[in-house]
Amino acid sequence: MDITWVFFDIGSTLVDETEAYNHRIRDMISGTDITFKAFDKKRIELTRSGYDGNSQAIKFFGLAKTPWHSEDEKLFADTKQTLDYLKRCKYKLGVIANQTLGVSERLKNWGILDCFDVVASSAELGVSKPDAKIFYKALEMADYRAEKAVMVGDRLDNDIIPAKAIGMKTIWIRSGLAKYQDTMFAESIADYVVDTLSDVKNIFMQRDKKETENLMFNTLTKYKML
């Protein structure tokens, strides 16, 4: 895998949004007869069917989307060490994410902004995933080719499918609600399927400068969907 650039999604990839989502659910169902358990069951069911489970569950129950609690977001425990490792190995790192304005400031507050050479955010660029344009814009900012870049993300629909379609390598992290997406479908589009950022780090740790792409693939079979 001849890779120079590694791009990451943010939500449920670098940042744990579990409590932020749960907080919003509690806010939305407050004063209704909808239980958290019922909402959670429906969003998982919809995710398994290929939908954006959270958004579609909100529509299903006829709820109004309440404000997002960004104070509940936190880095995964292995985010910083994974990014630091990749930087030490001289990879160029970027972000391709659907985010509101001010994403660079949030990355700075989390202490990881300096890890990134490119930050491609939907709010700043005016285009959102899964539109291929945001991936092309990020690659243009990096001045690099798709086939020399890898996309790391939690959603098959937003991250993996569009990145693969333009020629990028892909690593699907089964994280957050997206872990309920169809793994059989993932097998045909994701180059690697992992559960944590530490697994992503392990993929690159296995990569030696003298290894061929084929040797690396064989070495990392335990990370492929069987």
Side-chain angles (χ1 to χ4, degrees), residues 44-115:
I44 290 173
E45 174 189 319
L46 289 165
T47 299
R48 290 189 193 278
S49 299
Y51 297 101
D52 177 349
N54 281 301
S55 296
Q56 292 303 313
I58 292 171
K59 292 180 181 179
F60 177 86
F61 287 108
L63 296 169
K65 186 177 287 186
T66 54
W68 180 255
H69 291 275
S70 58
E71 70 275 11
D72 293 330
E73 297 175 323
K74 60 181 181 180
L75 292 183
F76 285 109
D78 49 2
T79 296
K80 190 69 165 58
Q81 65 180 24
T82 298
L83 296 177
D84 285 346
Y85 173 81
L86 293 174
K87 290 298 289 185
R88 289 198 303 272
C89 292
K90 307 302 182 183
Y91 289 101
K92 295 286 189 179
L93 304 184
V95 163
I96 303 177
N98 289 349
Q99 291 281 310
T100 57
L101 290 170
V103 64
S104 291
E105 185 65 25
R106 291 193 293 280
L107 291 171
K108 181 179 180 181
N109 291 339
W110 286 318
I112 58 174
L113 179 61
D114 290 344
C115 294

Side-chain angles (χ1 to χ4, degrees), residues 87-226:
K87 290 298 289 185
R88 289 198 303 272
C89 292
K90 307 302 182 183
Y91 289 101
K92 295 286 189 179
L93 304 184
V95 163
I96 303 177
N98 289 349
Q99 291 281 310
T100 57
L101 290 170
V103 64
S104 291
E105 185 65 25
R106 291 193 293 280
L107 291 171
K108 181 179 180 181
N109 291 339
W110 286 318
I112 58 174
L113 179 61
D114 290 344
C115 294
F116 297 105
D117 303 280
V118 163
V119 176
S121 169
S122 58
E124 277 83 10
L125 296 178
V127 61
S128 302
K129 295 182 298 185
D131 192 325
K133 290 179 183 177
I134 191 170
F135 293 89
Y136 283 123
K137 283 179 178 289
L139 290 166
E140 182 180 349
M141 292 164 68
D143 191 24
Y144 225 70
R145 305 189 305 278
E147 60 269 22
K148 298 287 188 178
V150 62
M151 179 68 198
V152 182
D154 67 299
R155 285 181 56 175
L156 294 173
D157 52 341
N158 265 13
D159 302 311
I160 306 306
I161 294 173
K164 190 71 172 179
I166 68 168
M168 297 176 73
K169 296 292 189 299
T170 55
I171 301 175
W172 180 39
I173 296 185
R174 299 182 64 211
S175 173
L177 191 60
K179 66 186 176 185
Y180 296 105
Q181 291 184 308
D182 190 344
T183 54
M184 294 301 291
F185 183 49
E187 183 179 9
S188 64
I189 56 172
D191 293 292
Y192 299 98
V193 180
V194 300
D195 294 319
T196 68
L197 281 169
S198 292
D199 292 333
V200 174
K201 177 184 174 182
N202 289 339
I203 288 175
F204 286 94
M205 285 179 69
Q206 295 287 342
R207 180 180 182 266
D208 184 272
K209 292 180 180 179
K210 295 181 180 179
E211 286 183 321
T212 63
E213 181 175 352
N214 184 59
L215 179 57
M216 181 181 176
F217 175 84
N218 291 334
T219 303
L220 300 172
T221 52
K222 68 176 181 177
Y223 295 112
K224 276 294 281 186
M225 182 62 65
L226 299 177

